[in-house]
């Protein structure tokens, strides 16, 4: 690679990273802002980190978001993994159509899913609540899990399963002792992606939640007109730190397991 091309790529990569991380740094910095207005810096304080636990509305919205994200991630990860295994291993009539159906949630706007669910709930006379948002969250995350697991399966060595069966393992034992550990990094990556998408989802939650039920994105949207409280910056900072720790731990564990396999 030419030195000029190398410098150009490095500069472009640096600009991309700055574009992504500078806003995050501002969120973290302004979580220590003494002003009630999130855009005006008046001094340093830690008061918002103590008062956030007294903001029951914000805490309840966060708990609702975590509830939806966890339930949706579990369902989407299980169904997405099973779908990926079925599409990878078996050939059946309508396979291409099924694959196409799984790609649809990736490309269509969330507003379409939200309006469709709202229409279905209206026809079935279903009362809106916190749980009525779960099908929408699953619908938009299951495809991402399936695609990530399929990518992992593309490099899967089927001879390992055959070797396990030759040694006396049945289908169930082969799956849990051989297949699952090998594709687990893909399942974990898909699950983390589904969790992030569900936690951040606004449109579907806005349309399908019941009166009085708020998720964090919906609550922040309702606060924008009057000004976002610095407590939102504090909560965002806490979430960023927790996610950074989790991703770091998972990455180190996966790297350690990879080094052990290589040894």
């Amino acid at each position: 690679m030419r030195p000029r091309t190398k410098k150009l790529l490095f500069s472009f990569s640096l600009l991309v990273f700055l574009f992504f991380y500078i806003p995050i740094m501002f969120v973290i910095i302004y979580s220590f802002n003494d002003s009630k207005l999130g855009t005006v810096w008046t001094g340093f304080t830690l008061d918002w980190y103590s008062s956030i636990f007294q903001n029951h509305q914000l805490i309840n919205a966060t708990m609702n978001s975590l509830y939806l994200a966890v339930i949706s991630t579990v369902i989407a990860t299980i169904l997405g993994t099973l779908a990926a295994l079925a599409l990878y291993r078996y050939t059946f009539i309508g396979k291409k159509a099924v694959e196409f159906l799984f790609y649809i949630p990736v490309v269509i706007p969330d507003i379409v899913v939200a309006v469709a669910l709202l229409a279905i709930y209206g026809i079935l006379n279903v009362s809106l609540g916190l749980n009525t948002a779960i099908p929408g969250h699953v619908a938009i995350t299951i495809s991402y899990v399936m695609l990530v697991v399929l990518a992992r399966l593309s490099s899967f060595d089927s001879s390992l399963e055959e070797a396990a069966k030759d040694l006396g393992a049945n289908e169930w034992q082969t799956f849990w002792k051989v297949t699952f550990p090998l594709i687990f990094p893909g399942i974990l990556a898909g699950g983390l992606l589904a969790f992030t998408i569900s936690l951040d989802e606004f449109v579907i939650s806005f349309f399908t939640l019941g009166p009085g039920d708020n998720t964090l994105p919906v609550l922040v949207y309702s606060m924008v007109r009057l000004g976002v409280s610095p407590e939102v910056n504090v909560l965002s900072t806490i979430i960023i730190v927790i996610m950074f720790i989790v991703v770091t731990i998972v990455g180190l564990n996966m790297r350690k397991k990879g080094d052990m396999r290589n040894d």
Side-chain angles (χ1 to χ4, degrees):
M1 183 180 294
R2 296 179 180 178
R4 185 176 179 181
T5 303
K6 188 175 181 179
K7 290 181 180 179
L8 182 62
L9 290 176
F10 175 78
S11 301
F12 179 76
S13 301
L14 182 61
L15 289 175
V16 171
F17 277 106
L18 290 175
F19 176 80
F20 281 113
Y21 289 105
I22 285 179
I24 295 176
M25 292 303 300
F26 271 99
V27 168
I28 296 174
I29 292 171
Y30 275 87
S31 68
F32 300 100
N33 186 15
D34 191 36
S35 172
K36 291 184 178 181
L37 297 176
T39 57
V40 180
W41 179 268
T42 59
F44 180 88
T45 183
L46 293 174
D47 292 342
W48 300 115
Y49 279 85
S50 58
S51 64
I52 187 175
F53 298 102
Q54 308 300 324
N55 191 331
H56 299 292
Q57 186 182 30
L58 191 61
I59 295 299
N60 289 337
T62 303
M63 296 305 296
N64 288 341
S65 292
L66 290 174
Y67 171 79
L68 289 176
V70 170
I71 299 298
S72 302
T73 297
V74 171
I75 297 174
T77 301
I78 294 174
L79 296 180
T81 301
L82 293 176
L85 288 169
L87 292 173
Y88 174 75
R89 288 183 170 179
Y90 305 110
T91 300
F92 49 89
I93 299 176
K95 180 178 178 179
K96 292 295 183 182
V98 172
E99 286 188 57
F100 177 75
L101 289 175
F102 273 105
Y103 280 104
I104 289 179
V106 178
V107 296
I108 64 173
D110 292 349
I111 185 66
V112 176
V113 179
V115 172
L117 279 174
L118 190 61
I120 292 173
Y121 291 149
I123 294 172
L124 299 178
N125 197 25
V126 176
S127 299
L128 296 182
L130 191 60
N131 291 325
T132 52
I134 293 177
H137 283 232
V138 173
I140 64 169
T141 55
I142 186 173
S143 298
Y144 291 95
V145 177
M146 186 204 71
L147 292 173
V148 174
V149 177
L150 270 178
R152 180 68 179 179
L153 287 169
S154 64
S155 59
F156 181 75
D157 188 0
S158 300
S159 62
L160 296 174
E161 290 182 323
E162 297 174 2
K165 293 176 182 178
D166 290 340
L167 293 173
N170 56 34
E171 292 286 344
W172 190 253
Q173 292 172 330
T174 301
F175 176 78
W176 286 111
K177 298 294 184 180
V178 178
T179 308
F180 182 77
L182 291 175
I183 67 172
F184 178 72
I187 297 175
L188 181 61
L192 290 174
L193 181 60
F195 181 84
T196 302
I197 293 173
S198 178
L199 190 67
D200 189 51
E201 178 54 41
F202 166 76
V203 177
I204 292 176
S205 299
F206 184 80
F207 275 80
T208 58
L209 286 173
D213 293 320
N214 272 330
T215 60
L216 187 58
V218 174
L219 179 62
V220 172
Y221 173 77
S222 67
M223 298 169 67
V224 168
R225 295 179 181 177
L226 301 176
V228 178
S229 169
E231 293 173 341
V232 175
N233 293 333
V234 172
L235 184 60
S236 300
T237 301
I238 294 174
I239 293 175
I240 291 169
V241 172
I242 293 175
M243 293 302 295
F244 177 79
I245 294 173
V246 170
V247 171
T248 301
I249 293 174
V250 171
L252 290 175
N253 286 336
M254 292 177 62
R255 183 175 180 181
K256 185 182 296 182
K257 291 179 180 179
D259 293 340
M260 291 175 63
R261 290 195 188 100
N262 293 332
D263 294 340

